[in-house]
Amino acid sequence: MRFYKFLDICFSKVGITKAFGVPGSLIMPIWQNLEETEIVLCSHEQEAAYIAEGYSKISHKPVAILSTGGPGAINSIAGVAASNLDSVPMIFVSGRTECCKAGCGMRQEEGISDRNFDSVIMTACTTKLSLAINSPDELIPKTLRVIKTAILNRKGSTHISLPVDLQSYEIDDSKAKVALQELDFHRNNFKCDYSIYNEIIHNDCKSIIIVGWGCWQGDCIDEIYQLSSKIDAPILFTSKAYCCMKDYDKCLGKLGYGINDVLLDFISQYSPQRVLAFGTSMSEKDFSDSIKNVIEKSEIFVFSNAVNDSRVHLPQAKWCEIDNLKEFVKYYIQNCNMVFFNHHKTPREIYEIQFNTYLSMISDFDKMADMLCVLNDYMESDVVVNADAGNNLLNVATLIKPKNIFNLFLDDGIRAMGSGLCQIAGMAFANTAKRYIAIVGDGGILMNGNVLYFIKKHNLPILVIIFDNNSLGRVRIGQLLTKNYVESDLGNVDFISYAESFGIEAYQVNDKNDFSNHICSFLQNRMPKVVCIKTNKDEIPISLKLKGTWN
């Protein structure tokens, strides 16, 4: 059996059906010979990694990305790092020059001599595991280790660097057969002694539930809502977990970007005795000093398979290691008592007050914010909104009201401009039955606008909304403090012609009625579309405006 065949079977065994990437001479034996795994061509390696991440987020399947060595490996790193931060199971396979040519100065050679670079060293801190194969004996064991590491426990990205000559190496069939049996594991077949948490479960008290991204990855959203109903606990959502929100009477609101004083005052007056956090690391981006101050008198329990930040950021939190969150929440529901607490104001009322507080801050100057509010009329069950990094993300996070699970995703990972647009392309590629709206700034479209080729090639149902303020908006807003605008202007780029060059319909939009008409048209015909809206470069995101700080 050739090694590329072994790798193909490995992918199939663990549920990988797609490999995204860009070909090159050092990855060709694998690229040309995968049969079980579909190769999906992208126009740039960074784009490929971000698309793969979006595909995995929606499909709940592990993914692979393939690249040649040298520039291919370097270009992939940002997306690989984002996948690792988002706990997305991704196997990154990059090519390398032949074993016998190491140190000879070949093109795209890797190493530590003659100013070369080593992709394994580069990806060591951006993945769960990065390994180089240097001999035929290492092919099977290192490949298995990389694949299992990406998928087991807290998921993430892994990397393996393969010499081009070993990619087609003939491996022993009997050894391959035995090795493949190691991948016959059931990823959710873990055992945990939940009874050790019975004291928590049986002890009725006033609680608040916090939902993190691990709940989405662990497919336990419905169970969380059932638990909330049974113990009468309001629910808060971390910024990664906005996709878990829905119109629900115990939905209290958003942490991270969406938090404001209305929410903090309610929690303080509510005085929860217990905080039950599921699938979150309780990191500072969502748990700032303001929220820490109102929950610090509560007992804080964190149920997750990997929680490190909470030990530093919230040392009083009690970490409960759970390797199967869905089964644990089911156990919690079965064994806890139904309770009811008398709320002076319901969580839904507080959520509405928070939202209206943000709406009250919108002035005639805030065109982006005003336009975004239009989208709330179109948040149907099959509509997915994704926001790219920038001022647009801050406004989407506070002003878009999800009605259903799945409605709202935020670009996360390393929060790079252009990543969100690529991720939504991956989401749409995974599930074309839904309709997708991508919110991006002019800086973001300049970063990875090449993904419009992928969107048009596959006729993905994506409406791309570009908020064009002729600047790097987040930087520009920070510069407002000093009025020293150092190299943050982008100039007047013709994004309409740019989109049309890919064969995509594109329109300049000036008012809300025109905007609504284009949204309706897109939702009806489901074909790729771009609309561009000119905004003022000094428009401050509403959440920052409310806080009175621009950074």
Side-chain angles (χ1 to χ4, degrees):
M1 180 188 297
R2 298 285 184 180
F3 173 75
Y4 53 69
K5 179 64 175 176
F6 173 76
L7 182 66
D8 196 20
I9 297 173
C10 285
F11 284 169
S12 180
K13 281 267 191 181
V14 298
I16 294 174
T17 59
K18 301 286 190 292
F20 300 84
V22 179
S25 59
L26 298 182
I27 197 64
M28 292 312 289
I30 292 175
W31 189 273
Q32 295 295 110
N33 291 287
L34 294 184
E35 296 177 353
E36 300 289 330
T37 311
E38 179 188 354
I39 297 284
V40 183
L41 176 65
C42 301
S43 57
H44 190 278
E45 292 87 358
Q46 184 184 100
E47 170 198 309
Y50 286 137
I51 288 176
E53 183 183 11
Y55 182 93
S56 180
K57 283 182 174 182
I58 295 305
S59 68
H60 289 288
K61 293 180 179 179
V63 288
I65 62 169
L66 306 175
S67 83
T68 191
I74 289 175
N75 289 342
S76 304
I77 286 178
V80 172
S83 295
N84 198 44
L85 284 166
D86 286 345
S87 302
V88 168
M90 173 187 288
I91 291 95
F92 170 31
V93 181
S94 66
R96 201 168 77 243
T97 50
E98 303 98 316
C99 294
C100 63
K101 297 292 186 180
C104 294
M106 296 287 290
R107 287 190 300 273
Q108 298 183 348
E109 182 178 86
E110 293 184 21
I112 56 174
S113 61
D114 196 26
R115 301 188 184 182
N116 286 333
F117 65 88
D118 189 326
S119 63
V120 172
I121 294 174
M122 289 194 306
T123 55
C125 61
T126 57
T127 61
K128 286 182 71 179
L129 177 68
S130 182
L131 297 175
I133 289 178
N134 299 303
S135 70
D137 291 342
E138 296 179 343
L139 281 168
I140 291 177
K142 286 191 173 181
T143 299
L144 291 179
R145 187 180 169 198
V146 161
I147 291 174
K148 290 165 71 175
T149 300
I151 291 170
L152 294 175
N153 302 314
R154 183 177 181 180
K155 300 173 178 63
S157 58
T158 57
H159 168 244
I160 191 165
S161 176
L162 281 164
V164 64
D165 53 333
L166 294 187
Q167 293 172 30
S168 54
Y169 187 83
E170 187 75 32
I171 60 176
D172 184 90
D173 282 2
S174 60
K175 290 182 179 179
K177 185 177 180 180
V178 171
L180 288 168
Q181 292 176 357
E182 291 190 35
L183 298 180
D184 287 328
F185 54 80
H186 299 286
R187 290 184 293 280
N188 290 319
N189 189 25
F190 300 113
K191 300 296 182 183
C192 183
D193 183 9
Y194 300 147
S195 64
I196 64 176
Y197 304 119
N198 278 340
E199 186 177 347
I200 303 171
I201 293 171
H202 290 305
N203 182 14
D204 301 338
C205 64
K206 196 190 298 184
S207 300
I208 280 181
I209 291 175
I210 294 174
V211 172
W213 174 245
C215 294
W216 173 263
Q217 294 289 68
D219 191 27
C220 63
I221 309 305
D222 290 339
E223 288 78 8
I224 290 290
Y225 282 110
Q226 291 172 34
L227 178 62
S228 166
S229 179
K230 191 168 183 180
I231 65 174
D232 196 23
I235 305 181
L236 289 164
F237 301 84
T238 67
S239 53
K240 278 190 181 182
Y242 289 179
C243 58
C244 300
M245 294 185 67
K246 68 177 182 179
D247 188 8
Y248 171 65
D249 59 359
K250 291 183 173 59
C251 174
L252 184 54
K254 306 169 183 174
L255 295 171
Y257 306 106
I259 197 166
N260 63 27
D261 289 341
V262 175
L263 176 60
L264 295 173
D265 289 345
F266 172 81
I267 299 174
S268 180
Q269 293 171 23
Y270 183 67
S271 298
Q273 297 162 286
R274 179 176 294 161
V275 173
L276 302 172
F278 296 95
T280 172
S281 60
M282 308 286 280
S283 58
E284 191 168 359
K285 69 179 186 302
D286 290 311
F287 296 88
S288 61
D289 288 342
S290 58
I291 186 67
K292 279 171 58 180
N293 291 338
V294 298
I295 66 172
E296 62 183 359
K297 294 180 182 178
S298 310
E299 274 193 302
I300 303 172
F301 294 94
V302 183
F303 302 99
S304 184
N305 62 1
V307 182
N308 295 317
D309 289 350
S310 65
R311 297 175 179 178
V312 176
H313 186 52
L314 287 167
Q316 73 270 38
K318 297 170 184 176
W319 176 38
C320 305
E321 185 173 9
I322 303 294
D323 50 25
N324 189 319
L325 205 54
K326 188 183 186 78
E327 291 304 315
F328 173 70
V329 179
K330 285 181 178 179
Y331 180 85
Y332 205 128
I333 295 168
Q334 291 168 0
N335 291 278
C336 67
N337 299 314
M338 181 172 284
V339 294
F340 176 79
F341 297 100
N342 187 23
H343 305 304
H344 180 63
K345 284 188 180 295
T346 68
R348 185 194 292 272
E349 288 173 325
I350 296 300
Y351 180 64
E352 291 298 329
I353 293 170
Q354 292 174 71
F355 183 71
N356 289 332
T357 301
Y358 285 124
L359 292 184
S360 69
M361 300 297 296
I362 300 175
S363 69
D364 293 340
F365 185 80
D366 302 313
K367 189 173 184 180
M368 182 200 306
D370 199 29
M371 287 287 199
L372 281 174
C373 290
V374 173
L375 288 178
N376 286 319
D377 293 332
Y378 301 95
M379 297 298 286
E380 300 168 24
S381 60
D382 68 334
V383 172
V384 181
V385 173
N386 173 284
D388 203 72
N391 284 337
N392 46 280
L393 182 145
L394 294 181
N395 270 334
V396 166
T398 52
L399 297 174
I400 299 299
K401 293 180 68 176
K403 295 178 183 176
N404 301 278
I405 292 171
F406 204 91
N407 268 161
L408 178 60
F409 284 82
L410 296 185
D411 162 55
D412 222 285
I414 54 178
R415 290 180 174 83
M417 286 194 299
S419 60
L421 181 59
C422 295
Q423 285 182 28
I424 206 166
M427 292 177 184
F429 190 74
N431 185 354
T432 55
K434 293 184 178 290
R435 296 168 291 179
Y436 301 82
I437 299 176
I439 315 294
V440 63
D442 45 343
I445 200 76
L446 288 174
M447 284 279 186
N448 274 323
N450 46 284
V451 77
L452 292 176
Y453 167 77
F454 183 91
I455 291 171
K456 176 57 180 176
K457 176 183 176 181
H458 298 283
N459 278 323
L460 300 177
I462 300 176
L463 170 64
V464 180
I465 301 171
I466 304 171
F467 285 108
D468 181 10
N469 65 358
N470 300 149
S471 74
L472 295 171
R474 288 295 297 116
V475 176
R476 169 85 183 189
I477 295 304
Q479 292 171 340
L480 279 174
L481 294 171
T482 61
K483 307 296 183 184
N484 186 20
Y485 304 109
V486 179
E487 286 299 308
S488 57
D489 287 343
L490 291 178
N492 191 20
V493 180
D494 185 355
F495 292 112
I496 303 301
S497 297
Y498 180 63
E500 290 175 341
S501 72
F502 292 99
I504 297 177
E505 285 188 27
Y507 302 90
Q508 194 73 43
V509 173
N510 296 313
D511 60 61
K512 290 195 288 187
N513 287 335
D514 194 16
F515 187 37
S516 292
N517 290 336
H518 281 296
I519 296 171
C520 289
S521 172
F522 161 74
L523 294 177
Q524 289 171 7
N525 65 36
R526 305 175 57 85
M527 295 300 290
K529 189 177 199 176
V530 170
V531 297
C532 187
I533 302 170
K534 293 285 187 180
T535 60
N536 193 296
K537 63 180 63 179
D538 291 333
E539 179 179 339
I540 297 166
I542 297 302
S543 58
L544 297 184
K545 202 177 189 184
L546 186 63
K547 293 178 183 177
T549 178
W550 311 150
N551 247 338

